[in-house]
Amino acid sequence: MAEAIVSSTVGKVADLLFGKVIKEINHIRNCTENVEKFKTEVEMLKVMRGKVQQQIEIANSKGDNLITGVEDWVEKADTEISKAEAFLNEEANAKKTCFKIGLCGNWHTLYHYGKTATKMSPYLLQHQEVGKGYETCVSVYTPAPGPLEVYQNKNLDDIATQNSALGDIITAIEDEDKSKQIIGIYGIGGVGKTTLAMEVSARVKHVFAAVAFTTVSQTVSVEKIKNDIGDATKRIMKGEKILIILDDVWEKVELEKLCIPCGINHMNCKILLTSRSEYVCEKMNAHKICVNALPEKEAWILFKRVVGEEVERETDLKQVAMKVAEECGGLPLFLNAVGNALKNKSIEDWDKALTRLQEHAPTRVDPEIGKAFTRLKLSYDFLDNNEARLCFLLCSMFEEDKEIWLEDLVQYAVGLAKFHGLKSMDDARQRVEDAVKILTSSGLLLKLDDKEYTKMHDVVRDVALLIASEGDGKSKFLVEAGKGFTEWLPRKNELESYTGISLMKNNISKLPNYELHLPHLDIFLISVNDKLPMFSDELIRGMKEVRVLDMSWCEVQPLPQSFKFLTKLRMLDLQGNKSLHDISILGEMQDLEILILNFTGIKEIPQEIGLLVNLRRLEAIGCENLYHVAPGVISKLWRLEELLIGFMWMLEGICERIVEIMNLSNLTYLALHVPRFGMIPEGFNPQKLKGFVIQIGGYFEYYSAANLKRRHLVIQTDYAESSFLKWNKQLIEACDTTDLDSIQNLNNILPQLYHEGFNELEHINLYKCRYVSCLIDTANWDQLHTFNLPKHIVEGKIKEMFLGKLKHLRLVRLQNLVVLWKCPDEYISLSNLVTLEIIECDELVKVFPVSVAQGLVNLQNLTVAMCGSLEEVIWDGDEETSKSETEHSEYTVFRSLAKINLYELERLERFYSGHSTIKYPSLVDADIEYCPSMKMWGPGIHETPKLKFVYPYVQLDGPDATINYAVNKLLETEKHRWELRFAKRVLRQHRRKQKMKIQ
């Protein structure tokens, strides 16, 4: 027995020694192979490092923030590459001499380099593995800065009036006294209240967690204000110290209506408001600070900064310039406007300007506005760009504090034919954008975050209205927009010199039934008057010269026969007039370039419209009675560049009309709505268009005239017919975004719709597809054979990664969605996914296995709401899931995830059920509402270094205040309220079901 044990032990030792010897010999035998393999790995790492560095350079050029760890990875990659190249150089030199040394020396060399290459390879492979995620994304999208972010500090040291006011405001803001929770800055228009408010925010922002800014204006828009400051008010509720700036307050506003937490329970909120009225500040219980106009000496200092210090060196120029500055009344707004207008001008221009500034202002206006007239009119007069002048005057036709849509300016300008040599609608848009930039840089328009809109400062608008009412030899406007008028009955001859009239946004129910003498009228705007009566024949006959007529959203009666006299019309907007049924009379208006018929009651587009051969843009969407488009009409509109039309309610001829559309050689943008796939002819390809929205089926139209630059397909039919989808593969492949809405015969997207290009999409939205049980189901992969594909292609396709290009996924009301995919996890790639929303998917129990979650390197926003069966978001996977992926990394990092919203999930128990570590280095916003079963975030370690607050009110302070702590705190305090809410919800659902049974 002993001998057997000894023999066995000796055998094992021999085997171990023999195995070790063989391993060492292999270092010699495989030296060349190991070194070559090592070279390949070095080259692969160099290529990867180059791609990542290129991504970093692109991100830096865009101003995006780099994700945590990417710069360290590049630095370590450089180190590894340097070590590897040094080793390879050493090995190459050794090769040249090793055979001269002798056999033993040669074996030693081979052994050394073979073994070293083998030992160094895993480090390169490990670094490549870490770098895979960085190849596609190295940054987090960083929003463009708002007005407070781009504001540049002003030098007020030698302008004592403003510097003193600034000091008083800052002192009041830093004072913790409850009587100074609200600070009111007041003073006349143009004195610099808004500038001071922004200067204050720049100087005290280190004291606050955030500063929010909104404009209140004369017409208070509660929703706009709440939208502007919504995030800030949430942070106040969290206990953070926040400053809110309410600019341009005209009357007392109720802070409760604006949802601003204020008062003794929210002393962490400070409010700074600006107003022209001291009385308003008193009504708001604000600590008042007056801002006065600048004395002459300080006004000159500010004026010199605008026009340049060289004005001091020329004696004659200085004398005139000082008088010009004096005429600006010490108001910074006008000092800047006039200074910019005269900067770099000749002494003759300065003399002319001084003479005009010294002229008496119109006596019929308020003295303050009268002075502003001559001062700001100078800035307008010195505009060299006529298109900028036109846009300035057109902006004055809108109501006060209106955010003006640039597309309105484009359409009005095209209709007025003021853009000489106009090439296209896109050309007109570019000219309007350029004009707005000029006006913004001159201080005549305000810069907004949304580049599709602009706005006039109310003081500038007052002046613009005076300029427009006086006329400049070409344009003279009467503007009564937003005045609340119920009637408009001017005298017959009192408007004969006017070229423009704006009565938009009133309540006018009476118009003249007599003829007005309007021989020069170019533009007449009477939109948004929902009580407007039918135009009388007499009124129409008096405005025969009109080129632009905006009657949108007025509910006018059928067009009078006298409309045929408006033969010079170039732009006509009848949008929203449901009582309008017949438009055949418009055939008389053969100069029309823009015709808007959206949401009207028209029944057909008749043959007469084919006479409008100068049309550039035609809109007829949302017309629920439109059953017929006369054959050949669209073909005759050969100059058409932009077409928005819905064929949803047409009885016949849809396919033929689309063929006509396809043959429009100048068409650039298209919005099209058809009832079924069969209506789109085979070969329809919108690839040549700059933008399009195509909707198939449904009654509510997704698109609007606001934005045609996207490439969007909406499928809202009961049945997605495969044969027609195959025909329209070109259409699908041309899209960036596809919506699938209410499709009844859809069980999955892939592979069911694989051959139609759905795996290439970046945006997918699924709504109310009741039979969708998963997004991907490879159990039905055999369907590929029905398309007569060769076997080797079928077998190759199944190895592809699904959803690899997807960036945005939205799943809403998929009542039978059980899982996101039914296939091995290795077929799923979500590395490019940025946003994911899952809403009202009541059968979904889990979202991601952790093996897939590890690949969510670009995910920034995650929302899961109203999913009644959801128990966990991330899970460890089932027994069939390969453990190699989860064990490959010690932890999971959601490096880009900044926002998580979990809302109304009654069965949700935890975010992650596993025990491994998850890091959230970018997470700053977590909302957990109405999740009564959620007792913890997860049993593992969850690192959230930037998360300071969990909504609705749990503050995370100190090392023990983890996200698990926050969830537990919410459960303790909100459980009763949650249970009550869900009880009411269940009762509502029960009543709704009972009602449906009765029906």
Side-chain angles (χ1 to χ4, degrees):
M1 182 69 179
E3 289 179 2
I5 294 172
V6 170
S7 176
S8 174
T9 303
V10 169
K12 288 179 181 179
V13 171
D15 287 343
L16 288 170
L17 291 173
F18 183 73
K20 186 170 180 62
V21 169
I22 292 297
K23 186 177 180 181
E24 298 298 316
I25 291 173
N26 282 339
H27 288 316
I28 300 171
R29 182 191 304 164
N30 300 329
C31 176
T32 302
E33 182 184 341
N34 292 346
V35 171
E36 287 303 316
K37 183 181 177 183
F38 183 71
K39 282 182 183 178
T40 302
E41 289 161 0
V42 173
E43 288 304 313
M44 289 174 66
L45 182 58
K46 288 169 74 175
V47 169
M48 180 180 284
R49 190 259 182 221
K51 287 181 180 179
V52 173
Q53 185 60 43
Q54 190 176 39
Q55 290 268 12
I56 290 173
E57 290 169 2
I58 292 171
N60 287 334
S61 69
K62 290 180 178 179
D64 287 344
N65 292 330
L66 297 178
I67 59 178
T68 305
V70 66
E71 290 177 299
D72 288 341
W73 183 89
V74 170
E75 187 177 334
K76 290 176 182 176
D78 288 337
T79 302
E80 293 295 333
I81 290 169
S82 296
K83 288 179 182 176
E85 288 180 336
F87 166 73
L88 290 172
N89 288 334
E90 181 185 329
E91 188 269 344
N93 291 330
K95 269 186 179 179
K96 297 174 184 178
T97 58
C98 67
F99 288 103
K100 298 176 183 178
I101 300 172
L103 187 60
C104 293
N106 189 28
W107 284 353
H108 180 268
T109 301
L110 291 174
Y111 172 78
H112 170 69
Y113 289 107
K115 184 175 182 179
T116 304
T118 304
K119 288 178 66 177
M120 292 179 72
S121 287
Y123 294 102
L124 296 180
L125 289 171
Q126 185 181 5
H127 210 66
Q128 287 179 45
E129 191 66 30
V130 174
K132 281 182 181 178
Y134 296 131
E135 280 189 292
T136 55
C137 177
V138 299
S139 62
V140 177
Y141 171 72
T142 306
L148 293 179
E149 286 81 13
V150 300
Y151 175 79
Q152 295 183 4
N153 289 65
K154 302 293 187 291
N155 178 13
L156 303 177
D157 291 344
D158 47 2
I159 301 178
T161 301
Q162 289 197 328
N163 198 31
S164 175
L166 179 68
D168 291 344
I169 299 166
I170 292 174
T171 300
I173 284 178
E174 292 177 342
D175 195 331
E176 297 295 331
D177 191 327
K178 65 181 180 181
S179 67
K180 295 178 182 177
Q181 185 175 25
I182 303 175
I183 299 103
I185 312 172
Y186 69 93
I188 63 173
V191 79
K193 300 182 294 295
T194 301
T195 301
L196 274 175
M198 296 181 81
E199 182 71 23
V200 166
S201 76
R203 299 197 185 196
V204 303
K205 61 185 178 183
H206 65 282
V207 178
F208 296 90
V211 180
F213 183 99
T214 187
T215 302
V216 178
S217 76
Q218 277 184 294
T219 306
V220 179
S221 172
V222 172
E223 289 305 313
K224 173 196 171 293
I225 296 169
K226 287 165 70 175
N227 186 57
D228 288 347
I229 63 176
D231 289 340
T233 55
K234 286 167 64 177
R235 296 179 71 176
I236 293 169
M237 293 299 293
K238 296 175 183 180
E240 294 183 68
K241 192 172 183 180
I242 305 293
L243 172 63
I244 293 179
I245 299 176
L246 303 177
D247 190 40
D248 195 21
V249 181
W250 284 74
E251 59 186 13
K252 181 184 178 182
V253 292
E254 299 294 339
L255 298 179
E256 291 84 358
K257 290 182 180 179
L258 301 181
C259 296
I260 299 177
C262 191
I264 193 66
N265 294 327
H266 300 286
M267 290 303 294
N268 54 312
C269 171
K270 278 277 188 175
I271 297 173
L272 178 62
L273 66 87
T274 72
S275 177
R276 293 187 184 188
S277 169
E278 181 181 6
Y279 177 75
V280 168
C281 294
E282 290 174 351
K283 285 291 184 183
M284 295 286 294
N285 295 319
H287 174 74
K288 299 180 297 181
I289 297 173
C290 180
V291 181
N292 297 309
L294 304 182
E296 185 175 329
K297 182 179 178 182
E298 294 173 18
W300 175 241
I301 293 171
L302 181 57
F303 193 69
K304 281 193 299 181
R305 287 180 186 162
V306 177
V307 299
E309 286 292 331
E310 60 271 14
V311 73
E312 285 275 6
R313 293 192 286 272
E314 298 180 34
T315 306
D316 293 339
L317 178 59
K318 181 179 177 180
Q319 290 177 352
V320 179
M322 290 186 73
K323 292 179 181 178
V324 168
E326 184 179 348
E327 287 296 323
C328 290
L331 298 179
L333 175 69
F334 303 136
L335 288 162
N336 278 285
V338 174
N340 278 311
L342 291 172
K343 185 167 54 178
N344 300 323
K345 298 293 182 181
S346 66
I347 185 69
E348 290 78 14
D349 288 330
W350 280 87
D351 281 326
K352 290 177 186 176
L354 177 59
T355 301
R356 296 181 59 187
L357 285 167
Q358 290 172 335
E359 290 174 355
H360 293 293
T363 56
R364 63 182 177 85
V365 295
D366 180 275
E368 180 189 332
I369 303 301
K371 292 175 184 178
F373 172 76
T374 51
R375 293 162 189 154
L376 274 181
K377 187 175 187 302
L378 193 62
S379 294
Y380 168 80
D381 289 341
F382 273 93
L383 287 172
D384 296 327
N385 187 301
N386 287 330
E387 293 171 359
R389 286 187 170 205
L390 171 66
C391 288
F392 178 75
L393 293 179
L394 288 176
C395 286
S396 74
M397 302 187 82
F398 294 85
E399 63 268 27
E400 184 179 357
D401 283 318
K402 170 78 172 177
E403 291 191 357
I404 301 162
W405 187 29
L406 298 194
E407 193 67 18
D408 282 334
L409 299 181
V410 170
Q411 294 182 10
Y412 295 162
V414 170
L416 289 170
K418 299 290 188 179
F419 289 173
H420 300 294
L422 186 66
K423 298 174 184 176
S424 64
M425 289 293 296
D426 263 352
D427 182 24
R429 287 189 187 93
Q430 188 58 56
R431 295 195 195 191
V432 166
E433 288 176 13
D434 292 343
V436 168
K437 286 178 183 176
I438 292 170
L439 294 167
T440 303
S441 64
S442 301
L444 295 173
L445 286 178
L446 299 176
K447 187 175 183 179
L448 301 181
D449 291 339
D450 190 338
K451 293 181 181 179
E452 292 185 0
Y453 289 82
T454 189
K455 186 178 178 181
M456 267 188 166
H457 188 287
D458 50 0
V459 175
V460 176
R461 181 177 180 271
D462 290 340
V463 176
L465 290 175
L466 284 167
I467 295 172
S469 67
E470 291 295 314
D472 63 352
K474 296 179 182 179
S475 300
K476 184 178 180 182
F477 294 167
L478 171 70
V479 179
E480 304 288 4
K483 295 290 186 69
F485 288 178
T486 57
E487 60 181 39
W488 185 65
L489 301 168
R491 296 181 184 276
K492 181 177 180 179
N493 296 315
E494 70 177 279
L495 303 176
E496 61 184 350
S497 61
Y498 285 86
T499 60
I501 296 174
S502 174
L503 304 171
M504 59 171 62
K505 204 168 184 183
N506 281 296
N507 300 304
I508 296 173
S509 59
K510 285 186 181 180
L511 287 174
N513 57 3
Y514 48 87
E515 186 173 326
L516 295 176
H517 190 44
L518 301 167
H520 305 293
L521 189 66
D522 280 335
I523 178 170
F524 187 47
L525 309 179
I526 196 168
S527 59
V528 198
N529 278 279
D530 56 10
K531 297 178 182 177
L532 199 69
M534 184 171 68
F535 280 38
S536 67
D537 289 334
E538 291 81 6
L539 178 58
I540 296 295
R541 277 196 288 266
M543 46 194 289
K544 294 179 185 178
E545 300 298 313
V546 72
R547 295 184 178 191
V548 173
L549 178 56
D550 188 346
M551 301 168 60
S552 57
W553 305 105
C554 286
E555 269 315 316
V556 296
Q557 302 301 314
L559 301 176
Q561 285 301 306
S562 54
F563 240 65
K564 64 185 178 184
F565 297 123
L566 302 181
T567 56
K568 294 188 178 180
L569 263 181
R570 296 165 63 94
M571 186 271 176
L572 175 62
D573 191 347
L574 297 168
Q575 181 170 210
N577 295 313
K578 294 289 186 181
S579 300
L580 178 64
H581 303 300
D582 182 10
I583 56 170
S584 56
I585 196 170
L586 301 183
E588 303 286 338
M589 303 172 184
Q590 295 181 24
D591 285 347
L592 265 181
E593 295 189 20
I594 298 172
L595 176 58
I596 303 175
L597 302 168
N598 304 332
F599 307 105
T600 57
I602 60 171
K603 297 179 179 179
E604 69 169 336
I605 297 180
Q607 287 287 354
E608 288 84 350
I609 298 302
L611 299 172
L612 306 181
V613 294
N614 288 304
L615 272 184
R616 295 177 182 268
R617 183 179 183 111
L618 173 62
E619 299 181 21
I621 62 174
C623 301
E624 297 180 3
N625 298 321
L626 181 61
Y627 68 89
H628 181 65
V629 177
V633 168
I634 294 176
S635 294
K636 291 174 183 175
L637 306 177
W638 62 275
R639 285 193 173 97
L640 208 59
E641 301 168 32
E642 302 173 2
L643 175 62
L644 295 84
I645 192 164
F647 291 147
M648 184 61 200
W649 296 274
M650 280 179 56
L651 302 178
E652 58 183 15
I654 295 176
C655 196
E656 291 78 5
R657 300 299 85 78
I658 295 177
V659 171
E660 292 184 46
I661 292 171
M662 291 165 63
N663 291 327
L664 292 172
S665 58
N666 293 309
L667 195 67
T668 306
Y669 298 109
L670 172 66
L672 179 65
H673 186 192
V674 298
R676 297 181 302 281
F677 282 100
M679 302 293 98
I680 297 181
E682 189 172 0
F684 175 74
N685 185 4
Q687 193 73 47
K688 67 172 185 175
L689 301 174
K690 289 185 178 179
F692 61 84
V693 181
I694 311 294
Q695 181 175 339
I696 301 169
Y699 290 94
F700 174 76
E701 284 164 337
Y702 279 62
Y703 52 81
S704 69
N707 183 9
L708 277 178
K709 294 184 180 180
R710 52 186 176 162
R711 306 171 75 83
H712 194 167
L713 172 65
V714 178
I715 301 174
Q716 201 179 8
T717 59
D718 286 343
Y719 295 95
E721 303 165 55
S722 297
S723 57
F724 291 121
L725 280 172
K726 186 179 179 183
W727 281 2
N728 291 287
K729 184 177 180 182
Q730 286 181 313
L731 168 59
I732 295 167
E733 289 178 341
C735 296
D736 297 322
T737 304
T738 295
D739 291 1
L740 302 175
D741 191 336
S742 305
I743 300 175
Q744 301 304 309
N745 69 326
L746 197 63
N747 175 263
N748 62 72
I749 303 176
L750 304 172
Q752 195 167 344
L753 302 178
Y754 187 94
H755 296 294
E756 286 68 51
F758 278 79
N759 201 39
E760 303 296 310
L761 290 172
E762 294 183 355
H763 300 240
I764 297 178
N765 302 318
L766 263 71
Y767 305 99
K768 296 180 288 186
C769 298
R770 62 184 301 178
Y771 294 113
V772 167
S773 61
C774 62
L775 303 184
I776 301 164
D777 186 356
T778 53
N780 298 321
W781 196 259
D782 289 341
Q783 290 176 357
L784 284 171
H785 292 290
T786 63
F787 296 100
N788 300 318
L789 289 177
K791 183 178 180 181
H792 71 277
I793 292 181
V794 175
E795 292 173 349
K797 290 289 184 183
I798 198 166
K799 295 178 183 178
E800 283 194 8
M801 300 289 275
F802 291 115
L803 308 179
K805 295 185 178 180
L806 190 64
K807 292 183 178 179
H808 305 280
L809 177 62
R810 194 163 194 261
L811 310 173
V812 180
R813 295 179 67 183
L814 306 178
Q815 62 191 62
N816 286 303
L817 184 72
V818 179
V819 292
L820 295 191
W821 56 82
K822 294 178 182 177
C823 67
D825 293 343
E826 56 263 30
Y827 294 159
I828 304 299
S829 172
L830 296 174
S831 60
N832 284 311
L833 193 66
V834 176
T835 61
L836 173 62
E837 291 182 61
I838 305 176
I839 300 170
E840 289 191 72
C841 297
D842 277 340
E843 295 300 315
L844 189 66
V845 178
K846 303 171 183 178
V847 183
F848 300 116
V850 71
S851 58
V852 172
Q854 287 171 349
L856 296 170
V857 293
N858 286 315
L859 186 65
Q860 295 179 20
N861 294 310
L862 172 64
T863 296
V864 187
M866 294 179 281
C867 297
S869 299
L870 192 78
E871 295 176 1
E872 52 195 346
V873 178
I874 300 173
W875 54 296
D876 262 346
D878 53 33
E879 293 179 0
E880 297 178 2
T881 303
S882 171
K883 293 184 179 180
S884 61
E885 289 186 46
T886 57
E887 291 176 355
H888 191 74
S889 175
E890 294 180 3
Y891 52 82
T892 298
V893 181
F894 291 117
R895 66 188 192 195
S896 304
L897 189 57
K899 187 170 185 177
I900 299 175
N901 291 320
L902 304 175
Y903 177 76
E904 203 164 308
L905 305 167
E906 57 257 52
R907 294 187 184 176
L908 182 70
E909 295 179 0
R910 61 202 69 186
F911 182 78
Y912 171 51
S913 61
H915 290 76
S916 61
T917 298
I918 297 186
K919 298 183 179 183
Y920 312 77
S922 302
L923 186 64
V924 294
D925 194 347
D927 289 6
I928 305 172
E929 295 187 74
Y930 309 114
C931 300
S933 302
M934 194 174 187
K935 299 178 176 62
M936 64 189 312
W937 188 259
I941 298 173
H942 298 269
E943 297 180 6
T944 57
K946 292 184 179 179
L947 187 64
K948 303 301 179 187
F949 184 84
V950 175
Y951 189 82
Y953 55 75
V954 180
Q955 194 80 31
L956 296 181
D957 291 323
D960 296 328
T962 63
I963 194 167
N964 269 323
Y965 161 82
V967 171
N968 189 260
K969 193 74 174 174
L970 283 172
L971 182 66
E972 287 178 10
T973 54
E974 294 288 282
K975 187 174 182 179
H976 176 71
R977 189 163 65 94
W978 287 344
E979 288 173 348
L980 183 62
R981 177 186 177 90
F982 281 115
K984 289 180 178 178
R985 181 185 172 198
V986 170
L987 183 61
R988 284 197 305 270
Q989 289 175 340
H990 175 72
R991 287 173 177 170
R992 191 159 55 239
K993 288 178 181 177
Q994 291 297 112
K995 188 176 181 182
M996 290 174 67
K997 286 180 181 179
I998 294 171
Q999 292 174 341

